Amino acid sequence: MATATVAATAPLSNGFLLRRGPNEGAKSARGLQWTKNHRQSPSSRRFGAAVITAKFDLKPPPYPLNALEPHMSANTLSFHWGKHHRAYVDNLNKQIVGTELEAKSLEDIVIQTYNNGDLLPPFNNAAQIWNHDFFWESMKPGGGGKPSGELLKLIERDFGSFEKLCEELRAAAATQFGSGWAWLAFNPRPSDGKELLVVKSPNAVNPLVLGYIPLLTIDVWENRRPDYISIFMEKLVSWDAVSAKLEVAKAQAA
Amino acid sequence: MAAAATISPPCALLSYQGLRGALVSTRTFQSAKNQRQCGRAVAAPISAKFDLKPPPYPLDALEPHMSRDTISYHWGKHHRGYVENLNMQIVGTDLDGMSLEDIIILSYNKGDILPSFNNAAQIWNHDFFWESMVPNGGGKPSGDLLELIERDFGSFEKFSAKFRSAASTQFGSGWVWLAYKANRLNVGNAINPRPSDEDKKLVVVKSPNAVNPLVWDYLPLLTIDLWEHAYDLDYQSRQADYVSMFMEKLVSWETVSARLEMAKAQVAEREREEEKRKYEEDNESSSNEAAEMYLDSGTEDSEAE
């Protein structure tokens, strides 16, 4: 089964806009604070006269920063999350203040600013926030092993075997040139009956823009170690989280 | 979708006389592949191979600004990987025996890159990057180079600001360049990203992943590698510090000046050849007219005067 590549210029295939993505329920957890006074004049918004604006928070990983040692060090997490991820959040908040994006969910911003591949400036920041939130959630301390239940069934149905899925994921991760991500995703409207697929994407692009529901991701903005992908698969991936996301995805597709 | 690389026997190698001046259309390349219906692969011939060129200084010579560990990893693993992979990709194909630059331009394929592009371009980019630096580098350029910088950017400081700004806005992996732009309009192989600028100008350009200004028929003069592996050991996520350090302590302005001289000479040479060609074309048509005159000279009233 061929690996799909989400190129930045790929047109959206299914009238896109899956507005209710997996994080929809978590909107309140983001701590979105609505603009106190929507009817403020543009000029006072611009000059930032003590306005409480909708903004995104930097969500921490669902485990302490050293919890993934020795496979992913506290150091790595500390600057990957504490600097990069934080910077995306800070930058997006600055970009959307006083614009119509300010009131939207993160996913809506991602999809809107993808703009059919002709990216608008907030896209990179918004998508990278989303991608990183998702990445931390894709791992857990003591992770790895095999999936089970419904997830395993679907994997075996659509890839042949768990081993074949692993091969495809590794290949996607290893062949994404430059910066990017490798994904396991759910296609709610598959033309070939296969709901699960492996996708790779460059830079900040993610499968939401193709109308797929992401289930798992590996950050491959430059592998520093040749065994990074193996370590991720064997020691870090949280199949529980993937199963939970699959349930949500199936419910939405139904 | 990019075509998969095919390994085919090297019969009827087309001869390319350097693609820079006369860019071969990609259609020629593809039909050549189809036309070669030669027989089976024979025992592996000794084929042209690219070597991994070392930086022009010891691996620790750029300390403390760029550590030995970084260069050791960057050159010894990444750069070496590109060389080995390209050699494997081209063996037995008609890319075998071509110069690196020709492979880059051909496999760029108007942006629909063929498999050998990333490796070939990354080899070239890294060779160029190591040579762009020198121990105890930095400072300011001088002579012709400084004059052109001041002419085209206003001042060295303005150029420097532009270079840094390009670096901070290159999202994902890529490179920032100072280049000499001497082409006109569209070139057959790629869309010129600056069709409205004047010719013979210095420009700062940035490129993603493995792309470099050769594909736009620009002449590169200086580059900085912005792939994370170039700086993350030494600077973690502080890319701006890395770029500052590069400008202040590592750039080899001498090398950049030398490249500028070569670029100007190349451009002058190309212009001379174009003029010569035009002259020959004009002469050809006027000598045809002359022949007609003589043929008609039997008649009383010759139209020619």
Side-chain angles (χ1 to χ4, degrees):
Chain A
M1 195 183 120
T3 302
T5 301
V6 185
T9 52
L12 295 173
S13 50
N14 357 323
F16 87 126
L17 291 189
L18 269 190
R19 291 203 165 264
R20 300 165 58 66
N23 289 334
E24 176 69 5
K27 193 158 124 183
S28 52
R30 293 211 176 286
L32 277 183
Q33 291 153 12
W34 292 88
T35 312
K36 275 221 147 155
N37 184 356
H38 265 289
R39 283 179 299 282
Q40 261 180 351
S41 68
S43 56
S44 64
R45 263 213 295 269
R46 206 160 43 234
F47 294 109
V51 174
I52 298 176
T53 50
K55 68 192 200 74
F56 293 100
D57 290 330
L58 174 65
K59 216 168 140 196
Y63 35 74
L65 294 189
N66 62 358
L68 303 183
E69 300 249 358
H71 315 298
M72 194 175 277
S73 70
N75 222 12
T76 291
L77 270 165
S78 177
F79 71 78
H80 196 169
W81 172 77
K83 295 251 156 62
H84 288 281
H85 193 175
R86 185 184 303 275
Y88 293 129
V89 172
D90 292 344
N91 290 335
L92 181 68
N93 285 332
K94 282 190 257 185
Q95 275 175 318
I96 63 176
V97 77
T99 76
E100 50 137 11
L101 293 178
E102 204 170 15
K104 296 195 179 232
S105 74
L106 187 61
E107 265 185 42
D108 285 353
I109 296 178
V110 169
I111 288 172
Q112 194 174 324
T113 56
Y114 179 70
N115 196 29
N116 275 320
D118 187 16
L119 319 177
L120 303 176
F123 177 79
N124 285 334
N125 289 316
Q128 284 292 80
I129 297 171
W130 196 98
N131 297 341
H132 282 89
D133 286 346
F134 198 80
F135 178 52
W136 305 131
E137 289 163 11
S138 295
M139 298 185 286
K140 70 173 193 186
K146 275 183 81 150
S148 57
E150 187 62 27
L151 174 59
L152 182 57
K153 252 179 60 190
L154 276 196
I155 286 175
E156 290 175 339
R157 184 195 73 183
D158 293 344
F159 292 92
S161 67
F162 173 63
E163 286 67 34
K164 292 249 182 68
L165 164 66
C166 288
E167 257 175 54
E168 276 205 38
L169 267 174
R170 282 168 200 265
T175 58
Q176 176 52 49
F177 189 72
S179 309
W181 305 79
W183 309 80
L184 174 63
F186 181 86
N187 182 357
R189 276 177 288 278
S191 50
D192 61 353
K194 292 196 178 172
E195 290 168 313
L196 296 185
L197 70 161
V198 166
V199 180
K200 63 187 181 191
S201 60
N203 294 345
V205 181
N206 68 34
L208 288 176
V209 308
L210 278 187
Y212 298 150
I213 302 176
L215 301 178
L216 169 68
T217 193
I218 307 178
D219 181 347
V220 288
W221 272 60
E222 297 221 51
N223 297 344
R224 282 162 200 77
R225 302 175 44 177
D227 54 352
Y228 163 69
I229 300 169
S230 291
I231 288 183
F232 177 89
M233 298 296 293
E234 288 162 27
K235 309 282 187 192
L236 290 175
V237 62
S238 168
W239 290 116
D240 287 343
V242 181
S243 283
K245 292 177 155 96
L246 176 63
E247 290 315 304
V248 174
K250 280 167 38 175
Q252 283 169 11
Chain B
M1 273 300 285
T6 54
I7 311 271
S8 45
C11 16
L13 275 178
L14 295 181
S15 74
Y16 294 87
Q17 289 164 343
L19 295 176
R20 296 293 303 285
L23 288 159
V24 176
S25 80
T26 56
R27 242 177 287 139
T28 312
F29 174 59
Q30 272 156 15
S31 59
K33 273 201 141 142
N34 293 339
Q35 278 165 20
R36 279 202 325 279
Q37 309 276 339
C38 315
R40 319 196 158 288
V42 293
I46 296 175
S47 49
K49 251 163 53 77
F50 292 100
D51 291 326
L52 173 65
K53 230 166 125 191
Y57 34 75
L59 298 190
D60 61 357
L62 303 185
E63 301 244 359
H65 315 297
M66 187 176 285
S67 68
R68 168 202 225 283
D69 276 354
T70 288
I71 301 186
S72 176
Y73 184 73
H74 194 174
W75 172 76
K77 295 246 156 63
H78 285 274
H79 192 174
R80 186 187 302 276
Y82 295 128
V83 174
E84 290 173 354
N85 289 336
L86 182 68
N87 284 334
M88 281 191 285
Q89 275 176 323
I90 63 174
V91 77
T93 73
D94 57 351
L95 293 179
D96 204 340
M98 283 174 66
S99 77
L100 191 59
E101 278 191 21
D102 286 352
I103 295 179
I104 289 170
I105 288 174
L106 249 174
S107 53
Y108 182 69
N109 198 26
K110 281 195 176 35
D112 186 15
I113 60 180
L114 303 177
S116 45
F117 177 78
N118 284 336
N119 289 316
Q122 285 293 79
I123 296 170
W124 194 97
N125 297 340
H126 283 90
D127 286 345
F128 197 79
F129 177 54
W130 304 128
E131 289 161 9
S132 295
M133 297 184 288
V134 73
N136 302 313
K140 274 181 81 149
S142 56
D144 270 4
L145 174 58
L146 183 58
E147 254 183 60
L148 273 197
I149 285 178
E150 289 175 341
R151 183 196 74 178
D152 293 337
F153 295 99
S155 66
F156 175 68
E157 288 66 32
K158 293 226 181 92
F159 152 72
S160 193
K162 210 159 188 178
F163 194 83
R164 291 165 199 253
S165 157
S168 67
T169 55
Q170 173 55 38
F171 190 71
S173 307
W175 305 76
V176 169
W177 309 81
L178 173 64
Y180 187 66
K181 172 188 186 294
N183 60 313
R184 300 170 190 89
L185 304 175
N186 286 332
V187 293
N189 191 48
I191 307 299
N192 185 332
R194 303 244 195 137
S196 58
D197 281 4
E198 302 146 19
D199 292 340
K200 297 206 205 148
K201 241 186 111 161
L202 291 181
V203 290
V204 166
V205 284
K206 57 191 184 188
S207 59
N209 294 344
V211 180
N212 67 34
L214 291 176
V215 308
W216 307 316
D217 203 29
Y218 291 8
L219 295 107
L221 303 178
L222 171 66
T223 195
I224 184 171
D225 186 348
L226 296 176
W227 283 59
E228 279 175 14
H229 61 232
Y231 61 88
D232 74 340
L233 264 183
D234 299 333
Y235 295 87
Q236 293 81 53
S237 56
R238 302 184 324 267
Q239 193 206 65
D241 288 349
Y242 160 66
V243 178
S244 288
M245 175 284 305
F246 175 85
M247 299 292 288
E248 289 160 24
K249 309 282 186 190
L250 290 180
V251 172
S252 169
W253 289 115
E254 225 179 275
T255 302
V256 180
S257 285
R259 287 167 175 164
L260 177 63
E261 290 318 301
M262 271 183 40
K264 288 179 357 185
Q266 252 180 288
V267 169
E269 175 64 33
R270 209 196 292 189
E271 285 180 338
R272 269 195 298 274
E273 285 178 3
E274 263 185 47
E275 275 179 36
K276 199 171 127 194
R277 212 178 47 225
K278 267 194 68 184
Y279 177 75
E280 282 169 358
E281 282 174 16
D282 288 347
N283 273 8
E284 212 178 80
S285 46
S286 64
S287 66
N288 283 341
E289 285 169 24
E292 284 175 18
M293 269 163 60
Y294 287 124
L295 283 174
D296 287 347
S297 63
T299 64
E300 188 91 33
D301 294 350
S302 176
E303 283 179 36
E305 202 63 12

